[in-house]
Amino acid sequence: MSLKAKLKEICSQDKGLALKICVNAGLANATPLYKFYKNPDKEMESFKVLLSIVRAVFESKEVSMMDSYISTLDPKKRTARYCLEYTNMNNMTETKMSLIHKMLKCTNVESKEWAKLYYINHLSTYTALNEDDKLQVLTTLKEVTGEEYEVNEIFEGNSILPATIEFLLDEVHPKSDEMKVFKGIEKMYCYYDVKNISAIEGFKKSVNVTLLKVTDEFMRDVLYCKLSLISMGIALHTNDITKIRKNYENIDRFQFDLDKAKYNLMLGNSYMFESYDKSYELLCKALKYAYDSECEFRITDTKRSINFLQNYYNKTSLYIDSNSSAISDIHEYAFSLIRKNNPEGLRILENMDLEKLTDHNKGFHFFLKGLATNNIEHFWTSIKSFNKTNEKYYKTITLIELKKLGIENHILDVMAV
């Protein structure tokens, strides 16, 4: 039974319930709900109100009811656009991709721009692609940009090239305020992924200004949360820990498990050098939310943080992947071996191609080499590498080691800035 038919059936049996859930959702009466389910083509004026009603009536069946409703939507209309974000945050990949393809083919310009940007966002979540996946991506990119691309222009091995997302974002020029903000946040993440913290600030100011123009409550809240999360990430790397923890006051604004996973990940990371127990508790909470959202890349990110925490405190690392080719996984495997005084850890580091490491990667790389060799020159190189990305938080680990080697406090204070 469809969402509208089910709502009609339930509300017909209990008209008092219809009024109650509508009032709780912020409506003055139940008339908008009646109009919604009686007219097959009628949209609810407020998507946030619609979600509130569906959650109140169907509770644990919310996502499945919304899934069936999304399949009936007109891709040219507003609700379809908002459902791109809903499917995104609930990790409804098949439904999202179906909606994206419908919107790319429709005649509404605004729906097309939303579909293009959400598809580019989707590409950033890919971790391992087979040959069929790559061909599908190239086919869809032709719809998105109107251009044909070669495999080596988009992919590196089984992954999307780091510069590809930024390049594709520059090919889309949105007109709506929502997508101007969305694109700006995605661009910020391009710089965040390589830990170019300084470059993010220029985008942040313009994004904040445009966000004030967004009138829809659902999208305004969603975009606010996205901006808050990346702002917290910036605060972590610039060592503004107070700002991260102050954001805990706004935790209720995070509607989706995926956002809660990311928030608890950053909060857990902020306690990493203060308290193993507090950090581990929060990272485990983040991992639970990541599993609840069934988001593989968030699960992987959280496990990597847990590995680093446990390696740092010389505990058994739970999620080490010795077969991974990802730089952070190789570093964590080497870190675990170095903690055991196993010379294989240093050999792994020596065999890594420095040309493939970002400056941020090099900060950790030379920190680990310093640990393995007790060579102060490696620690100096770690500091220089972290400084190139304005990384102040994780630079702490190198400063601590330099202090152990007898470097005077006044020198360390200068390097910490």
Side-chain angles (χ1 to χ4, degrees), residues 95-107:
T95 304
K96 178 175 69 174
M97 292 309 300
S98 175
L99 189 56
I100 284 173
H101 286 297
K102 288 178 184 177
M103 292 170 75
L104 286 172
K105 289 178 171 65
C106 80
T107 57

Side-chain angles (χ1 to χ4, degrees), residues 387-404:
N387 284 346
K388 287 179 182 178
T389 65
N390 199 29
E391 175 61 69
K392 296 181 180 179
Y393 181 66
Y394 287 105
K395 184 168 67 173
T396 302
I397 56 177
T398 309
L399 294 172
I400 290 170
E401 296 305 315
L402 286 170
K403 185 172 184 177
K404 291 178 183 177

Side-chain angles (χ1 to χ4, degrees), residues 123-124 126 129 137 154-156 158-165 168:
L123 288 181
S124 67
Y126 278 132
L129 295 159
V137 168
I154 303 297
F155 307 101
E156 182 177 51
N158 293 326
S159 303
I160 304 288
L161 278 165
T164 297
I165 302 301
L168 292 172

Side-chain angles (χ1 to χ4, degrees), residues 240-390:
D240 190 356
I241 303 304
T242 303
K243 185 174 182 179
I244 297 174
R245 295 173 188 172
K246 186 177 180 181
N247 265 286
Y248 192 76
E249 299 166 4
N250 298 319
I251 188 65
D252 289 341
R253 292 192 73 165
F254 296 109
Q255 300 180 51
F256 301 101
D257 287 339
L258 195 55
D259 282 341
K260 292 175 184 177
K262 191 166 186 179
Y263 174 76
N264 281 282
L265 171 62
M266 284 186 286
L267 191 61
N269 286 340
S270 79
Y271 282 98
M272 197 166 273
F273 308 130
E274 289 180 39
S275 167
Y276 172 85
D277 290 338
K278 182 68 174 176
S279 181
Y280 184 65
E281 175 192 348
L282 289 163
L283 291 176
C284 287
K285 192 174 181 180
L287 189 59
K288 178 186 178 300
Y289 280 123
Y291 272 117
D292 288 347
S293 66
E294 299 180 348
C295 182
E296 286 299 323
F297 78 90
R298 184 61 60 220
I299 292 168
T300 300
D301 276 355
T302 308
K303 286 181 176 179
R304 286 171 176 164
S305 278
I306 293 173
N307 282 337
F308 182 80
L309 174 72
Q310 293 177 325
N311 277 329
Y312 185 74
Y313 284 92
N314 203 11
K315 298 179 181 291
T316 301
S317 304
L318 296 177
Y319 304 110
I320 291 293
D321 184 355
S322 59
N323 296 316
S324 172
S325 60
I327 290 168
S328 56
D329 291 333
I330 296 171
H331 277 157
E332 287 311 317
Y333 180 45
F335 198 176
S336 68
L337 294 172
I338 290 166
R339 284 303 199 198
K340 297 172 185 174
N341 295 316
N342 186 332
E344 181 62 22
L346 179 59
R347 279 196 289 270
I348 289 171
L349 297 176
E350 296 284 8
N351 288 331
M352 293 180 73
D353 184 356
L354 290 179
E355 293 298 318
K356 292 184 177 180
L357 305 188
T358 66
D359 288 322
H360 201 261
N361 293 149
K362 289 176 184 176
F364 286 106
H365 185 85
F366 286 102
F367 160 73
L368 293 175
K369 288 192 77 172
L371 279 185
T373 62
N374 217 30
N375 185 336
I376 197 170
E377 293 301 321
H378 291 318
F379 290 127
W380 290 132
T381 305
S382 172
I383 292 290
K384 291 175 186 176
S385 300
F386 278 137
N387 284 346
K388 287 179 182 178
T389 65
N390 199 29

Side-chain angles (χ1 to χ4, degrees), residues 74-327:
D74 184 339
K76 300 189 296 296
K77 292 187 175 181
R78 181 184 66 244
T79 301
R81 298 194 281 270
Y82 296 159
C83 282
L84 283 174
E85 181 58 37
Y86 181 83
T87 57
N88 203 38
M89 296 311 297
N90 282 292
N91 207 35
M92 300 160 67
T93 304
E94 289 187 15
T95 304
K96 178 175 69 174
M97 292 309 300
S98 175
L99 189 56
I100 284 173
H101 286 297
K102 288 178 184 177
M103 292 170 75
L104 286 172
K105 289 178 171 65
C106 80
T107 57
N108 183 279
V109 174
E110 187 172 354
S111 286
K112 281 178 175 287
E113 76 175 27
W114 282 57
K116 289 176 180 180
L117 287 167
Y118 271 92
Y119 182 68
I120 295 168
N121 166 267
H122 178 72
L123 288 181
S124 67
T125 67
Y126 278 132
T127 54
L129 295 159
N130 59 37
E131 294 307 309
D132 288 341
D133 292 332
K134 291 178 185 179
L135 289 175
Q136 181 60 58
V137 168
L138 293 177
T139 300
T140 305
L141 282 179
K142 187 175 180 180
E143 290 185 76
V144 171
T145 67
E147 303 288 337
E148 291 190 11
Y149 300 99
E150 297 296 327
V151 170
N152 60 2
E153 291 181 279
I154 303 297
F155 307 101
E156 182 177 51
N158 293 326
S159 303
I160 304 288
L161 278 165
T164 297
I165 302 301
E166 185 179 2
F167 160 72
L168 292 172
L169 287 169
D170 288 337
E171 294 294 298
V172 184
H173 307 285
K175 300 294 189 295
S176 67
D177 289 326
E178 292 95 336
M179 288 301 98
K180 286 178 183 177
V181 174
F182 186 85
K183 176 183 172 178
I185 292 171
E186 290 299 301
K187 289 276 283 187
M188 289 166 71
Y189 272 111
C190 289
Y191 291 114
Y192 184 80
D193 287 343
V194 295
K195 301 301 182 286
N196 189 348
I197 306 303
S198 302
I200 296 174
E201 293 300 329
F203 282 96
K204 187 178 176 182
K205 291 178 183 178
S206 62
V207 167
N208 269 316
V209 170
T210 310
L211 180 56
L212 295 174
K213 300 177 184 177
V214 175
T215 56
D216 179 78
E217 195 173 1
F218 170 75
M219 284 305 299
R220 187 173 65 241
D221 284 350
V222 162
L223 293 169
Y224 170 84
C225 289
K226 289 181 185 293
L227 188 58
S228 293
L229 286 168
I230 194 167
S231 297
M232 289 166 64
I234 297 167
L236 177 70
H237 292 289
T238 55
N239 208 21
D240 190 356
I241 303 304
T242 303
K243 185 174 182 179
I244 297 174
R245 295 173 188 172
K246 186 177 180 181
N247 265 286
Y248 192 76
E249 299 166 4
N250 298 319
I251 188 65
D252 289 341
R253 292 192 73 165
F254 296 109
Q255 300 180 51
F256 301 101
D257 287 339
L258 195 55
D259 282 341
K260 292 175 184 177
K262 191 166 186 179
Y263 174 76
N264 281 282
L265 171 62
M266 284 186 286
L267 191 61
N269 286 340
S270 79
Y271 282 98
M272 197 166 273
F273 308 130
E274 289 180 39
S275 167
Y276 172 85
D277 290 338
K278 182 68 174 176
S279 181
Y280 184 65
E281 175 192 348
L282 289 163
L283 291 176
C284 287
K285 192 174 181 180
L287 189 59
K288 178 186 178 300
Y289 280 123
Y291 272 117
D292 288 347
S293 66
E294 299 180 348
C295 182
E296 286 299 323
F297 78 90
R298 184 61 60 220
I299 292 168
T300 300
D301 276 355
T302 308
K303 286 181 176 179
R304 286 171 176 164
S305 278
I306 293 173
N307 282 337
F308 182 80
L309 174 72
Q310 293 177 325
N311 277 329
Y312 185 74
Y313 284 92
N314 203 11
K315 298 179 181 291
T316 301
S317 304
L318 296 177
Y319 304 110
I320 291 293
D321 184 355
S322 59
N323 296 316
S324 172
S325 60
I327 290 168

